[in-house]
Amino acid sequence: MDELTFERRDTSASPASDSQPLYRQLADHYRRAIGNGVLRAGDRMPSMRAFMQRHGVSLATATESYRVLERVALIEARPRSGYFVRAPLAALPAVAEPDPALLPGSAQFVGIHATISALVSKFQRYPQALNLGGTTASPDLYPTEALRQATLRALRREPTLLTAAGPDFGDPALRAVIARRVLESGIEIGADEVIMTHGGIEAVNLALRAVTQPGDTVAVESPCFFGLLQVLESLGLRALEIPASPSTGLAIDALSFALQHHPDIKAVVVVPNLQNPLGSVMPDAHKASLVELCTRAGVALIEDDPYRELVDGEPAPKSLKAWDTNGTVIHCTSFNKTLAPGMRIGWINGGRWHPRVGMLKFAQSRHNERLAQVVLAGFLETGAYARHLRRLRDSLRLQRERMAAAITVAFPEGTRFTSPRGGQCFWVELPAALSSAALFDAALDDGLRIMPGTVFSNTGRFDHFIRLSCPSTDLELLDDAVRRLGSLARRMLERGDAHTDVHADTHAAKR
Amino acid sequence: MDELTFERRDTSASPASDSQPLYRQLADHYRRAIGNGVLRAGDRMPSMRAFMQRHGVSLATATESYRVLERVALIEARPRSGYFVRAPLAALPAVAEPDPALLPGSAQFVGIHATISALVSKFQRYPQALNLGGTTASPDLYPTEALRQATLRALRREPTLLTAAGPDFGDPALRAVIARRVLESGIEIGADEVIMTHGGIEAVNLALRAVTQPGDTVAVESPCFFGLLQVLESLGLRALEIPASPSTGLAIDALSFALQHHPDIKAVVVVPNLQNPLGSVMPDAHKASLVELCTRAGVALIEDDPYRELVDGEPAPKSLKAWDTNGTVIHCTSFNKTLAPGMRIGWINGGRWHPRVGMLKFAQSRHNERLAQVVLAGFLETGAYARHLRRLRDSLRLQRERMAAAITVAFPEGTRFTSPRGGQCFWVELPAALSSAALFDAALDDGLRIMPGTVFSNTGRFDHFIRLSCPSTDLELLDDAVRRLGSLARRMLERGDAHTDVHADTHAAKR
């Protein structure tokens, strides 16, 4: 089959893609056709002219659609012949679902800090390393100039923003606009039920402090964002790790089992949308069950939801809080990942512990600096935030697609990885013989920073995983980084030094 | 004696006043003469011409000197006769030193939050009330325009300040300039020994979290800043209140006794310079003894030092940390009171617990927003900060002098109050029959917010004290507020309703 014919209606009817520009909808359409095997390697793509006629689009749209497909390595141009579907990528399987027989073990005091400190001191010796380990997008994807202008305007309108003390719990205008905006994610709260915090991490700290005492047990997802494990450690709490699925997140059955057998669980912490590091998005039915389960058990459900608006498509998925009827859910989120990593603005709704959360916030750090809050309130009031999010998601999707192709080609056989529906992180399972700690050392020596799986659990279960992110809009740079990382991994496997610190070795190789 | 003659040398020789403008030095000179009784009520002051000749100054300087003396109610103009020393103010005694027989009682869990919440909900019903209860100076005393311009410059130079994530523990340039500046207060630390925090209160939280576990005992000054009592309550710590002197601060002997009899004391928290609410400045010898005592006892000494640079005169007194040789002192401070209440910038040096403080800060709220830090670093690098501090101290001194005169005239007999050497707060002991809680209610109803002594101790010992501040550069406004407050107090004493809630009563009187 040389070409495909499409019904015009087919292209425009997909409800999920209505918010996408036309070139993107068309590119998606062909991507699905390639993914489904309707178009196969070596098939010729429609000529530009045919494409324009069939879809009733301009040359610019047609060109842009092919450019997208070309950038994600699905098609290639052959001189004087047109575009062809590329040879299929080696089919790397997805990360496995957790073993249903894997039941939560015993709760443990966390001892992750020493491991993280060791990583950090190594980072600091390589300040120029490309950071493939983070969750913050490339600075050029954030609206730097718009926020700068908004800051200048705010200071013109209210020159004492820096010198007058702000109101407790945050800027009233910002709290009001947040309360209005979260209606869309199914959350019904008043402005006074929003407390501004220093990023999402302070919100999670306050939530845990509100509902636990040192020595208590907290159920967390496994693998789990290492920052949460650090918070538990710093508060003297025990972590009980509950298996999580790369596609649907926390295993509700496993949590239910844990709640029956561990009556000392005081809270459950969940990242429902784009779980970190799995990238899973919990289906609505799971969200409803989870809230119901915690409500029945009388256990606080702490929802850490900073990535919700990075999920592909519109509307974004709902928050757990949308199913909360009696204040069981403490909702924590931030604008660090979606809008402005430098502004450190998060917020919390404390559910039925809201007054206690307010007391703790006041005692811990008073109100936030007001300038950034005023800037943010103005930005959220306009359509600028929604437009920015669309651009950010589009770019991250392109980066992920390119990175996925690169990993498939470059990494050794036996590698598996997730295909998240948003954000910029992959959870990569290396061949079992390869230690992520050893790869971390070798990569750093080669100018690449990755996040080893060792810090995402207290159990050692993920020591051959890495969290790998696509932190740049420069796709060639991503290709090159993944190529280098993949060949390091292959070499380590071949040489059998995959489980040792390869520092000395790599230095020797350079000489 | 109608006039005084001065040696010219006498005026200019005072080493302490060299940093003061000439008119201020001359006004101080006459103030001392009045204070010493060299000039008495009814004495005629030198004529302008005589003043100019004697001191070799311009008419502007002479006029300004008399204006200062007139504003603090030491002299008055009589039509066509010149200036005269005013009738002496009723001599209100200073607040008494603590009874040396008063030994620390038992450590208690703090239960101050409910009281403070009740105050706050009352405040919120009177948003327009003049705040005579705060520690933040009038916004016009902070360098609003200079900081605004500095912010614009910083954003021009580095547009991604809001959108790029900042470095852990704070902006390196700011940490370096702070490390250089604190040499002056006797502290020798490197830039990496400075961790930026969200205001001084986060610093104190981190310090306490680094050295205590819930249930531990912490020795505090009595009376004690209520914010600290809230922090202890929120962390589940017990407070052991150690008497403090209105002139020299914490009673070292009482602490020594407590350390012998309470082996469970894990930390001592002290505000060495301009103690809140007493306004005391601890003498150097006491500072040295205190550090030695805690070092010997192996107990962390947490120094909360946000007011140091508000002490009259230069150089400012030293910090406790200046006497620390083995990391016993955890130094906490902020720029909230001295430079910019809206910027929420504080910092901490954790002494020998510094790495643990760093871990806790990272887990609790990550790094601070960077923009304000870059602005502050630039401001500190120039002479602008020192000039600003001089102006701020001068204005606060004028406000305190005027307020002291007003309290002396307006408050009922039996009132005593402190004469702090800086800042803006008085600690006022009302006649024992007068409840500060009742006066608080009546004042709020009259549009004035004061801070009742009930929140400065767990013991009830200060229920007839208030903390009263002079929050405005409008001296007439201060006069009027104190006059109204004084007459409320007098009426309550006369009517004998001093210990009841006078809400209903005052409403009735208005009708």
Side-chain angles (χ1 to χ4, degrees), chain A residues 113 144 162-163 198 205 341-342 359 363, chain B residues 113 144 162-163 205 341-342 359 363:
Chain A
H113 177 66
T144 292
L162 294 172
T163 42
H198 293 297
N205 269 268
M359 183 275 273
Chain B
H113 178 66
T144 292
L162 295 172
T163 41
N205 269 268
M359 184 274 274

Side-chain angles (χ1 to χ4, degrees), chain A residues 131 135-139 142 336-337 340-344, chain B residues 158 160-168 366-371 373:
Chain A
N131 187 0
T135 56
T136 301
S138 173
Y142 295 112
N336 294 345
K337 310 295 180 187
M343 284 166 74
R344 307 284 315 134
Chain B
E158 205 175 338
T160 59
L161 274 174
L162 295 172
T163 41
D168 290 346
R366 299 284 185 277
H367 56 88
N368 277 30
E369 182 173 326
R370 206 167 138 238
L371 173 58
Q373 295 183 67

Side-chain angles (χ1 to χ4, degrees), chain B residues 45-371:
Chain B
M45 294 292 287
S47 69
M48 282 293 155
R49 176 186 305 263
F51 190 100
M52 289 159 63
Q53 280 181 350
R54 277 176 200 161
H55 302 298
V57 297
S58 67
L59 178 62
T61 300
T63 311
E64 196 57 24
S65 297
Y66 275 24
R67 207 175 63 87
V68 169
L69 293 168
E70 202 179 2
R71 291 177 89 185
V72 299
L74 287 173
I75 64 173
E76 61 191 346
R78 294 186 192 157
R80 283 177 305 277
S81 311
Y83 284 89
F84 290 81
V85 177
R86 283 180 62 159
L89 298 166
L92 289 193
V95 172
E97 292 292 319
D99 181 352
L102 180 69
L103 293 175
S106 60
Q108 297 179 42
F109 282 112
V110 184
I112 210 82
H113 178 66
T115 313
I116 294 175
S117 291
L119 292 188
V120 170
S121 12
K122 285 180 181 174
F123 291 168
Q124 287 168 343
R125 293 207 305 269
Y126 297 83
Q128 300 306 322
L130 177 67
N131 187 0
L132 299 165
T135 56
T136 302
S138 173
D140 55 349
L141 289 178
Y142 295 112
T144 292
E145 184 53 23
L147 290 174
R148 194 176 78 92
Q149 291 297 339
T151 307
L152 307 191
R153 273 197 306 275
L155 279 170
R156 248 195 315 271
R157 259 200 306 266
E158 205 175 338
T160 59
L161 274 174
L162 295 172
T163 41
D168 290 346
F169 306 134
D171 181 66
L174 177 58
R175 296 166 76 195
V177 67
I178 285 175
R180 275 201 304 281
R181 279 188 52 83
V182 294
L183 280 173
E184 176 260 327
S185 62
I187 302 179
E188 294 180 26
I189 50 177
D192 58 342
E193 294 172 283
V194 171
I195 294 174
M196 303 311 302
T197 61
H198 293 297
I201 200 78
E202 190 183 45
V204 172
N205 269 268
L206 295 170
L208 283 166
R209 290 185 60 199
V211 300
T212 65
Q213 294 292 325
D216 283 347
T217 294
V218 175
V220 301
E221 298 153 311
S222 185
C224 173
F225 166 46
F226 58 89
L228 174 59
L229 295 177
Q230 278 182 298
V231 173
L232 296 182
E233 182 173 1
S234 75
L235 295 173
L237 297 168
R238 293 170 204 261
L240 179 65
E241 299 189 24
I242 311 289
S245 146
S247 53
T248 60
L250 187 79
I252 313 281
D253 289 349
L255 176 65
S256 175
F257 175 89
L259 287 171
Q260 285 160 35
H261 291 81
H262 294 267
D264 51 340
I265 295 177
K266 292 293 175 359
V268 180
V269 186
V270 171
V271 180
N273 299 308
L274 295 178
Q275 199 268 0
N276 179 356
L278 288 172
S280 53
V281 175
M282 193 178 270
D284 279 0
H286 286 224
K287 286 174 177 162
S289 307
L290 176 58
V291 174
E292 198 197 330
L293 180 60
C294 292
T295 302
R296 260 191 289 119
V299 166
L301 176 53
I302 299 172
E303 163 175 63
D304 184 17
D305 201 18
Y307 309 110
R308 193 181 72 85
E309 290 176 305
L310 296 183
V311 176
D312 285 342
E314 288 181 13
K318 289 195 171 162
S319 300
L320 292 173
K321 185 79 189 163
W323 282 271
D324 185 24
T325 52
N326 76 337
T328 293
V329 178
I330 302 181
H331 181 77
C332 304
T333 186
S334 82
F335 294 90
N336 294 344
K337 311 295 180 186
T338 52
L339 180 67
M343 284 166 73
R344 307 284 315 133
I345 299 187
W347 64 273
I348 185 170
N349 167 272
R352 66 169 179 268
W353 298 272
H354 198 69
R356 180 161 164 78
V357 166
M359 184 274 274
L360 292 171
K361 166 63 176 161
F362 185 80
Q364 179 165 300
S365 61
R366 299 284 185 277
H367 56 88
N368 277 30
E369 182 173 326
R370 206 167 138 238
L371 173 58

Side-chain angles (χ1 to χ4, degrees), chain A residues 107-265:
Chain A
Q108 296 180 42
F109 281 112
V110 184
I112 210 82
H113 177 66
T115 313
I116 294 175
S117 291
L119 292 189
V120 170
S121 8
K122 286 180 181 174
F123 292 168
Q124 287 168 344
R125 292 207 306 268
Y126 297 83
Q128 300 306 323
L130 177 66
N131 187 0
L132 298 165
T135 56
T136 301
S138 173
D140 55 348
L141 289 178
Y142 295 112
T144 292
E145 184 53 22
L147 290 174
R148 195 178 77 92
Q149 291 297 339
T151 307
L152 307 191
R153 274 198 305 278
L155 278 169
R156 248 195 315 273
R157 260 200 306 266
E158 206 175 337
T160 59
L161 274 174
L162 294 172
T163 42
D168 290 346
F169 307 134
D171 181 65
L174 177 58
R175 296 166 75 196
V177 69
I178 285 175
R180 274 201 304 281
R181 279 186 52 84
V182 294
L183 281 173
E184 176 259 327
S185 61
I187 302 180
E188 294 181 24
I189 50 176
D192 57 341
E193 294 173 281
V194 171
I195 294 175
M196 304 311 302
T197 60
H198 293 297
I201 199 77
E202 190 183 44
V204 172
N205 269 268
L206 295 169
L208 284 166
R209 291 186 58 198
V211 300
T212 64
Q213 294 293 324
D216 284 347
T217 293
V218 175
V220 301
E221 298 153 311
S222 185
C224 173
F225 165 46
F226 60 89
L228 174 60
L229 295 177
Q230 277 183 299
V231 173
L232 296 182
E233 181 173 1
S234 75
L235 294 173
L237 297 167
R238 291 171 205 260
L240 180 64
E241 298 189 24
I242 311 289
S245 145
S247 53
T248 60
L250 188 79
I252 313 281
D253 290 348
L255 176 66
S256 175
F257 174 89
L259 287 171
Q260 284 160 35
H261 292 82
H262 293 270
D264 52 339
I265 294 178

